[in-house]
Amino acid sequence: MAKHEHVRVAVIGSGFGGLGAAVRLRREGITDFVVLERADSVGGTWRDNSYPGCACDVPSHLYSFSFAPNPDWPRTFSGQRHIRAYLEHVTDTFGIRPHLRLNHEVTKMAWNEGELRWEIETSGGSFSADVVVSATGPLSDPKIPDIPGLADFPGKVFHSARWDHDYDLTGKRVAMVGTGASAIQIVPAIQPKVGKLTLLQRTPPWVMPRVDRAISGPERWLHRQLPFTATARRGILWGIRELQVSAFTKRPNELGLVERLAKANIARSIKDPGLRARLTPSYRLGCKRILLSNTYYPALAQPNVDVIASGLKEVRGNVVVAADGTETEVDAIVFGTGFHVTDMPIAPRVIGADGRSLAEHWKGGMEALRGATAAGFPNWMTIIGPNTGLGNSSMILMIESQLNYMADYLRQLDVLGGRAALAARPSAVGTWNRRVQSRMERTVWKAGGCESWYLDANGRNTTLWPGTTSEFRRETRTVDLSEYEVLRAPAEPGAHEAEPARRTSRKKEAVQ
């Protein structure tokens, strides 16, 4: 067991959120931190998801840090390999390697009230930290449904995020379970090589054409020589998506024209009226994430593909049985069934000031002040927390906003001096959450007539942000100390008492 190490900040995870936090800490002059990563390399979601056809559905120049532009993206929508390489590049460029603690999975972190710090246990040693920044991400732990008979299936079973590259699908009979963002990339990638592909579909997605192309050499040269051209490109991509937000959040009926375009997209590739009917959604476009593909529908029209408009009910030996009774013999089952999003896997491992876990606090639904801090968990914050997700734009924009908030949080602790902690007031968390949920009621995600992974077990959308990214940027630019209590260590004046929060004057910095 490695020796105990104390740091000012412990960052959990090394995907976009964790690496972004590490870079921001260094830019703020903070070098006393570690990045605890359970795997043997950085990359998060883009390390774990390496399935055939894996790519991003957000344009490359928008799906990258503003402080680390990449003039050499090869395509307008880049694939997994290039995004992972970008994250490795960021790690090296900003000197994050010495802070990495790879193969250090966090097994428990508990708040030490007497010392005002977090005690952290990992698979590679123990740590303590004044502040914890949890960046484990919502798309980190795969979700496989509890299917009767699955454990006795004699063939191969794996999730899209744990792709078995040693298993050759050539000529195999494959069942693809799910029709989300991963499945619509996997299906056209494996269809030409498998013997038979059976798609088990509970709900058809809305799929729009993917306007993807190679970025030419002259374009990349221009972005290298004149960086403002890449910045302008990013700005245009951002602006278009900001203008789309009101249709999702305030006027869902405006999406009717886009639905007609999506239906035309189906008709272009699917000539069989029966199949076309099975692939046409009955809910409002946007209620689930709108997917992008030029190859999904053509693949489904091929003779070696069957679409069963019914979810997987059970497995009997090597036979998959759909909810409508359809039986199909298969050699392999691939699950594209998403992740534990509304039941954050790290939550049971985080023990707060009252001795209860974050999972217990969030039993009725996740909620965090400005998507970052939770009541009962001092000096703990999360990146891509509750209600910070997006349905139409780049999560990197939201991450950078939360990094602004993190930076100001640490500045406030510096101003307070001594051993101090900030504890989100339950009243402030409640007020913020009620405001978000009230705005959520008129969005397409709640009123669009579908069930999606955005909703928790209670039917609340605790995943998405019901506004623009620029609005979220304003809401998280600085910490409002009136929303927090100041805690002091017992050895200092005012022990065991919460100080009233005071607004302090300080230099304000923000990642632009």
Side-chain angles (χ1 to χ4, degrees):
M1 181 67 72
K3 67 178 182 179
H4 181 86
E5 184 177 355
H6 178 78
V7 292
R8 184 181 181 195
V9 182
V11 178
I12 317 299
S14 68
F16 266 100
L19 292 178
V23 172
R24 188 59 187 269
L25 288 171
R26 287 187 61 87
R27 296 181 77 192
E28 291 288 322
I30 299 171
T31 57
D32 183 17
F33 70 90
V34 293
V35 179
L36 302 174
E37 169 55 54
R38 66 182 177 182
D40 60 2
S41 61
V42 303
T45 294
W46 296 103
R47 175 199 60 234
D48 296 341
N49 286 266
S50 59
Y51 57 79
C54 184
C56 190
D57 59 1
V58 174
S60 304
H61 285 275
L62 195 58
Y63 200 77
S64 47
F65 291 120
S66 63
F67 53 80
N70 178 17
D72 290 312
W73 287 116
R75 301 194 65 83
T76 52
F77 290 88
S78 289
Q80 176 264 347
R81 178 169 62 90
H82 294 104
I83 296 173
R84 185 178 180 186
Y86 170 76
L87 290 172
E88 294 280 1
H89 173 73
V90 167
T91 303
D92 291 327
T93 299
F94 291 92
I96 306 304
R97 298 279 177 200
H99 301 277
L100 290 176
R101 302 294 183 270
L102 301 176
N103 298 306
H104 279 62
E105 180 174 7
V106 172
T107 55
K108 181 181 179 181
M109 65 176 81
W111 177 246
N112 183 328
E113 185 176 7
E115 298 292 332
L116 290 189
R117 68 185 189 184
W118 286 93
E119 306 291 346
I120 306 168
E121 299 174 12
T122 81
S123 57
S126 63
F127 298 80
S128 58
D130 299 328
V131 177
V132 167
V133 179
S134 180
T136 55
L139 307 182
S140 56
D141 282 48
K143 178 185 287 186
I144 293 181
D146 185 14
I147 304 295
L150 181 62
D152 299 321
F153 178 66
K156 192 70 178 178
V157 178
F158 51 87
H159 190 278
S160 58
R162 300 292 184 267
W163 196 270
D164 188 341
H165 291 278
D166 294 328
Y167 183 75
D168 186 4
L169 292 175
T170 303
K172 299 292 197 304
R173 299 168 299 178
V174 180
M176 180 76 225
V177 183
T179 53
S182 299
I184 72 158
Q185 295 178 345
I186 293 170
V187 166
I190 68 173
Q191 176 271 319
K193 67 164 61 176
V194 302
K196 186 73 175 181
L197 178 59
T198 301
L199 179 67
L200 291 144
Q201 166 192 277
R202 284 196 308 174
T203 309
W206 285 105
V207 182
M208 296 292 290
R210 184 183 181 90
V211 187
D212 186 26
R213 64 173 178 82
I215 298 177
S216 68
E219 285 178 276
R220 295 198 297 271
W221 178 88
L222 184 66
H223 293 332
R224 284 194 300 270
Q225 300 301 315
L226 300 173
F228 75 87
T229 61
T231 302
R233 184 174 191 157
R234 176 186 176 92
I236 292 170
L237 292 169
W238 167 78
I240 291 171
R241 282 154 181 78
E242 289 288 274
L243 293 174
Q244 296 170 345
V245 171
S246 64
F248 290 88
T249 60
K250 297 177 182 179
R251 295 181 288 275
N253 289 333
E254 291 182 357
L255 295 165
L257 172 61
V258 187
E259 282 184 12
R260 291 194 288 274
L261 295 174
K263 288 179 180 178
N265 187 40
I266 300 174
R268 276 193 295 271
S269 299
I270 306 298
K271 304 306 179 185
D272 176 7
L275 178 57
R276 192 161 61 240
R278 294 199 297 276
L279 295 175
T280 302
S282 59
Y283 56 88
R284 175 63 78 194
L285 180 141
C287 186
K288 292 175 180 280
R289 189 174 181 93
I290 301 170
L291 306 182
L292 306 177
S293 179
N294 299 326
T295 55
Y296 180 62
Y297 289 138
L300 296 184
Q302 298 306 307
N304 68 332
V305 178
D306 279 341
V307 177
I308 299 175
S310 180
L312 178 61
K313 180 182 179 182
E314 63 177 309
V315 178
R316 299 175 190 159
N318 68 339
V319 175
V320 294
V321 183
D324 65 0
T326 303
E327 299 184 3
T328 308
E329 290 189 8
V330 296
D331 303 306
I333 304 174
V334 179
F335 284 93
T337 45
F339 300 84
H340 290 274
V341 175
T342 58
D343 53 341
M344 198 177 291
I346 193 70
R349 308 179 192 186
V350 185
I351 310 302
D354 63 359
R356 293 191 299 150
S357 71
L358 185 61
E360 292 174 284
H361 277 261
W362 282 353
K363 189 173 181 180
M366 300 189 302
E367 55 181 43
L369 178 59
R370 303 181 188 274
T373 56
F377 296 82
N379 280 11
W380 180 92
M381 62 177 55
T382 181
I383 306 295
I384 315 184
N387 292 114
T388 61
L390 296 176
N392 76 313
S393 193
S394 172
M395 278 307 302
I396 312 306
L397 301 169
M398 302 297 278
I399 289 172
E400 291 197 22
S401 292
Q402 291 199 290
L403 298 183
N404 289 341
Y405 196 76
M406 176 197 75
D408 198 50
Y409 191 103
L410 292 167
R411 292 190 204 113
Q412 292 301 321
L413 290 175
D414 281 344
V415 170
L416 289 168
R419 193 178 303 169
L422 291 175
R425 296 179 183 274
S427 59
V429 176
T431 298
W432 174 263
N433 189 62
R434 285 190 296 273
R435 174 185 160 196
V436 169
Q437 292 303 321
S438 175
R439 294 179 60 182
M440 194 66 71
E441 289 302 315
R442 60 178 177 175
T443 67
V444 70
W445 310 306
K446 284 285 287 184
C450 75
E451 294 183 7
S452 72
W453 58 268
Y454 300 148
L455 308 181
D456 65 14
N458 302 307
R460 294 168 64 240
N461 189 330
T462 57
T463 305
L464 298 182
W465 168 246
T468 64
T469 62
S470 54
E471 181 184 4
F472 189 76
R473 176 65 60 98
R474 291 193 299 272
E475 296 282 6
T476 54
R477 189 171 294 278
T478 58
V479 170
D480 181 354
L481 281 181
S482 69
E483 297 178 332
Y484 290 88
E485 290 182 303
V486 178
L487 307 180
R488 292 287 187 183
E492 299 186 22
H496 304 295
E497 296 182 1
E499 297 180 4
R502 300 183 298 273
R503 167 56 66 186
T504 58
S505 61
R506 65 206 178 280
K507 180 181 178 181
K508 298 179 182 179
E509 293 184 17
V511 175
Q512 298 299 327

